[in-house]
Amino acid sequence: MRRLDVGPGARLVVATHNPGKLVEIGALLKPFGMDAVSAGELDIPEPEETGSTFVENAVIKALASAVASGLPALADDSGLAVEALGGDPGIYSARWAGPDKDFDMAMETVNRLLGDNPDRRAAFVCALAVAWPDGHVETFEGTVDGTVCWPPRGGNGFGYDPFFVPEGFDETFGEMEPARKHEMSHRARAFALFVEACLKGA
Ligand code: ITT
């Protein structure tokens, strides 16, 4: 497992163009004092996500940014997998919101497809990939189980957050304080594995 430099002066590209993810990954990285810069700020184009799994797409994004910038890059591929829909929208979670990134529409689509199915189980999944300019890659995955609710509730977070109630809670991710979501989210779980492997004691 390859480690990353940490502390002042250590630069890392956060290979995302999603502002919601950028806020969350920035907060997770903050304690490590790294100089995190986003792919958007560096004008790195978004690669086509041609993978068939979260991990494959995270690797595509991390490698594209690492090679383009000459710096290590961290990418996140994530989404909502609904059990009764065979795991959809899954890796297509962003695409179900269309070019206008209309997540009200995406949540409505999922709810319509579920109809009166009583099985509302779903999971948020996050794959993180860190890539170096020489092509080396490490990957980590985190999930959080829960259910989807209707109507969506809460204005915090982004994407499908108002639609998802994590197991053991009454609030949706959209209603929760961001700090509470960060304690248990799919992204936080994948990030904890990344920290253990690549940052701790580095
Ligand atoms: P990048 O590829 O630039 O990172 P993206 O939005 O296209 O941005 P993805 O392909 O990984 O990213 O799509 C993931 C979608 O899944 C994202 O747009 C959200 O709608 C949803 N999603 C992922 N994590 C989420 C979270 O913590 N809360 C709510 N929705 C989430």
Side-chain angles (χ1 to χ4, degrees):
M1 194 68 69
R2 198 186 283 186
R3 292 181 176 267
L4 277 169
D5 290 337
V6 293
R11 298 186 78 199
L12 178 68
V13 179
V14 181
T16 182
H17 290 78
N18 178 320
K21 281 187 191 177
L22 194 59
V23 167
E24 292 194 3
I25 295 170
L28 290 163
L29 279 171
K30 201 154 181 242
F32 298 93
M34 301 175 79
D35 182 4
V37 55
S38 76
E41 284 170 74
L42 294 178
D43 280 332
I44 297 172
E46 283 187 67
E48 214 187 319
E49 296 182 22
T50 52
S52 54
T53 63
F54 290 109
V55 167
E56 282 174 16
N57 282 335
V59 168
I60 289 170
K61 291 187 270 192
L63 274 175
S65 278
V67 169
S69 66
L71 295 167
L74 176 68
D76 165 317
D77 199 69
S78 46
L80 182 71
V82 178
E83 188 77 22
L85 301 183
D88 278 346
I91 61 166
Y92 304 105
S93 294
R95 281 166 263 188
W96 280 33
D100 296 334
K101 302 193 191 315
D102 183 348
F103 285 98
D104 289 337
M105 177 188 80
M107 291 185 281
E108 259 176 55
T109 304
V110 173
N111 190 58
R112 179 169 43 75
L113 292 172
L114 278 175
D116 53 13
N117 192 327
D119 181 2
R120 315 289 291 185
R121 286 173 301 155
F124 262 132
V125 182
C126 173
L128 290 176
V130 56
W132 283 260
D134 67 359
H136 185 84
V137 182
E138 306 281 0
T139 62
F140 310 93
E141 202 164 21
T143 64
V144 58
D145 291 324
T147 52
V148 292
C149 65
W150 197 259
R153 305 192 305 263
N156 291 338
F158 65 99
Y160 297 86
D161 277 339
F163 191 37
F164 182 79
V165 182
E167 210 168 79
F169 291 82
D170 298 321
E171 289 180 310
T172 67
F173 270 173
E175 293 174 304
M176 269 181 196
E177 288 303 320
R180 176 169 271 197
K181 178 184 172 190
H182 293 339
E183 282 166 17
M184 69 169 105
S185 78
H186 49 313
R187 185 161 295 105
R189 287 179 177 167
F191 197 83
L193 298 175
F194 159 66
V195 166
E196 196 61 42
C198 296
L199 295 183
K200 256 201 178 157

